[in-house]
Amino acid sequence: MTFAELKLHPDLLAALPSQYQQPTRIQQLAIPVALTGQDVLALARTGSGKTLAFGLPLLQQIKLQQAKLQQAKLQQTKQDEAAPQALVLVLVPTRELATQISTVLQPLAQAMALKLVILCGGIEQEKQIAALATGPQLLVATPGRLLDLLEQQLLIPDTITHLVLDEADRLLEMGFWPDIQRILARLPVQRQSLLFSATLPAELEEIASRLLIDPRRIEAHAGNSLVDEVEQRCYLVNKGSKAQALIGLLKQDIWSQVLVFINARDSADALAKKLNKAGIDAAALHGNKDQQVREQTLNEFKTGRLRVLVATDLLARGIDVTALPVVFNLDLPTSAPVYVHRVGRTARAGRSGLAISLVCHAEAEALAAIRTLTGSELPLHALEGFPVTDRVASGERKRPPRDKQANRRSAGKRSIKQFKSNSSR
Ligand code: ADP
Ligand code: MG
């Protein structure tokens, strides 16, 4: 199937990156449905092209609607005219993802003579108010800043007819849900809502379906599943050896770029320092950093000027780094869907990739949850040079037998040899 067969506007087709030969599976399935104006709940794996799957049909629809709105504006009072309005609202969990989505959609919007504005924290509100005054049709926002603007009546949401929740399950979780509810309460009831994600835990399904009216559920891939092209490796190491193990692995392999996930912000800074000391080009990125530094660091990583980025889960969702070869989990996330998203930063757009997790005894429970969610075996291997001397904590002796088996398997030498053959030392 070609993009042209999706009945997209010629200006949109012309503005698509020329290297895109055909729509991805989720694009093929979601675009025709979204174009009809129906609500959609779409599940598709990480890196499968969800941004354009909602972006293209919405740009096309608002182009048509814009003409109608302009007519309606003629009948508005002067007071209404002063209030900035928009047609499409894309909500995302992080500023970095808002920027990325805007970078993808901006050229397409421009080709359709439509304006896009980012509304998120870390940017001066004054600047955003000025941008809103230019009359954008498309808003890409994080919930906090959007709510601020709505509550101050600096943005009137009455004309919003299309809503996207990207990384939908994240936005429905407790951290965001109260804000999302307050935002939804202000949006027109008559609207198209599109929910996109790679993961949707069963407990959020119900909330998700309550947001939608007569939705079409589109599953390009089974929810919570990992991309086939990603190879996963788990090494059992001592808790205190993880940084050294990472350094050892980074020195053995010549990966062009590496993204390292770590649970705590402080540890991200400390680890980046340790890597620097070991002569490895690395920087840390997390939510406590200044927004300008966040942007600059991510930009350096995305453009290949920075080799190793140590990040918290701020970067777990949605972030697209072209051809990133490997992702590390310095520790396992306690929420299994987060594992799917972290690992999904590699093996994107049909490429292959490697995900390496450094696991210690204390993480047995997290590992079990990830195994269950993803249906991956994830056997634990021994890492040469890093013998495990940590004891299993007493409370964890009663782990499911499957873990014990995996531990025993890890004593086998095959995996270590396999690893050796990858290194050139
Ligand atoms: P997702 O949101 O599903 O994780 P993205 O929308 O971020 O995925 O897209 C992942 C990558 O795939 C991006 O680098 C994007 O440029 C690329 N991509 C998107 N659509 C296509 C396509 N039709 N053909 C080739 N590459 C594509
Ligand atoms: Mg995405």
Side-chain angles (χ1 to χ4, degrees):
M1 183 187 261
T2 61
F3 277 104
E5 285 173 76
L6 290 170
K7 302 203 174 78
L8 291 169
H9 193 285
D11 291 347
L12 272 181
L13 292 175
L16 278 173
S18 54
Q19 71 269 26
Y20 293 3
Q21 305 193 332
Q22 58 178 51
T24 64
R25 184 168 160 76
I26 186 63
Q27 289 162 4
Q28 291 180 26
L29 296 173
I31 291 173
V33 181
L35 279 174
T36 67
Q38 210 177 338
D39 281 3
V40 171
L41 172 63
L43 292 170
R45 285 174 179 159
T46 50
S48 63
K50 293 188 284 295
T51 313
L52 291 183
F54 61 76
L56 290 171
L58 288 185
L59 284 165
Q60 174 141 329
Q61 285 194 76
I62 54 177
K63 185 71 191 168
L64 292 175
Q65 237 175 289
Q66 191 193 27
K68 282 187 207 159
L69 187 78
Q70 268 162 1
Q71 269 190 340
K73 260 194 179 160
L74 295 175
Q75 293 148 23
Q76 275 174 352
T77 66
K78 272 212 169 119
Q79 209 183 357
D80 282 345
E81 257 176 60
Q85 304 190 322
L87 297 166
V88 170
L89 172 61
V90 180
L91 281 174
V92 297
T94 64
R95 301 165 188 178
E96 280 70 14
L97 187 53
T99 306
Q100 178 180 299
I101 289 178
S102 146
T103 307
V104 173
L105 297 185
Q106 181 73 57
L108 299 166
Q110 206 175 340
M112 299 289 270
L114 298 168
K115 277 187 224 144
L116 178 155
V117 163
I118 301 184
L119 302 176
C120 54
I123 307 172
E124 280 169 47
Q125 191 171 287
E126 303 307 314
K127 277 191 190 161
Q128 295 183 341
I129 295 167
L132 279 174
T134 64
Q137 290 77 29
L138 201 75
L139 304 176
V140 182
T142 51
R145 176 57 61 91
L146 182 84
L147 197 55
D148 272 358
L149 292 164
L150 286 174
E151 285 179 345
Q152 296 172 68
Q153 298 197 319
L154 293 167
L155 171 69
I156 307 297
D158 297 358
T159 52
I160 291 175
T161 40
H162 305 270
L163 170 73
V164 180
L165 301 190
D166 190 25
E167 306 295 344
D169 57 334
R170 178 79 186 103
L171 295 173
L172 302 179
E173 280 172 12
M174 273 322 292
F176 282 108
W177 182 228
D179 277 2
I180 297 291
Q181 275 178 300
R182 285 158 73 192
I183 292 168
L184 292 178
R186 290 163 186 268
L187 296 185
V189 181
Q190 278 266 339
R191 62 166 193 263
Q192 179 183 30
S193 304
L194 310 174
L195 267 52
F196 276 75
S197 189
T199 53
L200 185 61
E203 65 271 20
L204 295 179
E205 280 256 354
E206 213 230 9
I207 303 185
S209 59
R210 265 192 276 144
L211 297 187
L212 303 169
I213 298 170
D214 190 23
R216 266 284 287 279
R217 187 189 170 94
I218 298 171
E219 270 187 77
H221 317 100
N224 307 316
S225 65
L226 283 155
V227 173
D228 300 327
E229 289 79 8
V230 69
E231 182 197 338
Q232 304 173 80
R233 277 187 218 158
C234 290
Y235 293 117
L236 182 67
V237 292
N238 284 339
K239 193 172 190 305
S241 315
K242 286 186 171 188
Q244 283 311 317
L246 173 70
I247 290 170
L249 289 165
L250 289 180
K251 291 204 160 172
Q252 275 175 29
D253 247 287
I254 43 156
W255 298 300
S256 56
Q257 283 199 294
V258 179
L259 178 57
V260 181
F261 282 106
I262 191 161
N263 292 344
R265 292 167 174 181
D266 303 350
S267 333
D269 286 323
L271 181 64
K273 268 196 198 140
K274 273 187 200 161
L275 295 179
N276 288 155
K277 269 200 182 149
I280 295 164
D281 173 31
L285 200 157
H286 53 71
N288 266 6
K289 300 242 178 205
D290 175 75
Q291 186 56 28
Q292 240 182 325
V293 175
R294 269 162 70 165
E295 256 166 55
Q296 199 183 332
T297 308
L298 183 56
N299 198 30
E300 278 176 10
F301 191 62
K302 280 194 171 194
T303 51
R305 280 174 289 152
L306 173 68
R307 181 173 173 235
V308 179
L309 182 61
V310 181
T312 57
D313 288 325
L314 180 70
L315 283 206
R317 283 182 179 259
I319 299 301
D320 189 60
V321 180
T322 311
L324 181 68
V326 58
V327 167
F328 270 87
N329 287 308
L330 199 86
D331 29 40
L332 289 179
T334 46
S335 146
V338 174
Y339 176 85
V340 174
H341 291 279
R342 284 181 174 188
V343 166
R345 295 317 96 208
T346 185
R348 298 174 68 76
R351 290 187 177 88
S352 61
L354 175 63
I356 300 181
S357 301
L358 301 177
V359 183
C360 65
H361 284 311
E363 293 170 304
E365 223 174 282
L367 181 61
I370 292 165
R371 284 172 172 160
T372 306
L373 183 81
T374 61
S376 307
E377 255 188 67
L378 294 177
L380 283 168
H381 298 290
L383 181 59
E384 202 206 350
F386 295 90
V388 181
T389 52
D390 282 354
R391 299 251 194 98
V392 179
S394 55
E396 277 156 11
R397 277 184 204 281
K398 290 178 200 131
R399 289 186 304 189
R402 205 173 153 194
D403 282 340
K404 282 191 185 156
Q405 264 179 15
N407 279 341
R408 253 181 253 132
R409 267 201 303 275
S410 72
K413 287 195 186 110
R414 211 167 53 132
S415 58
I416 299 169
K417 272 192 191 146
Q418 214 176 12
F419 172 69
K420 267 190 193 160
S421 67
N422 277 346
S423 72
S424 49
R425 288 208 302 185

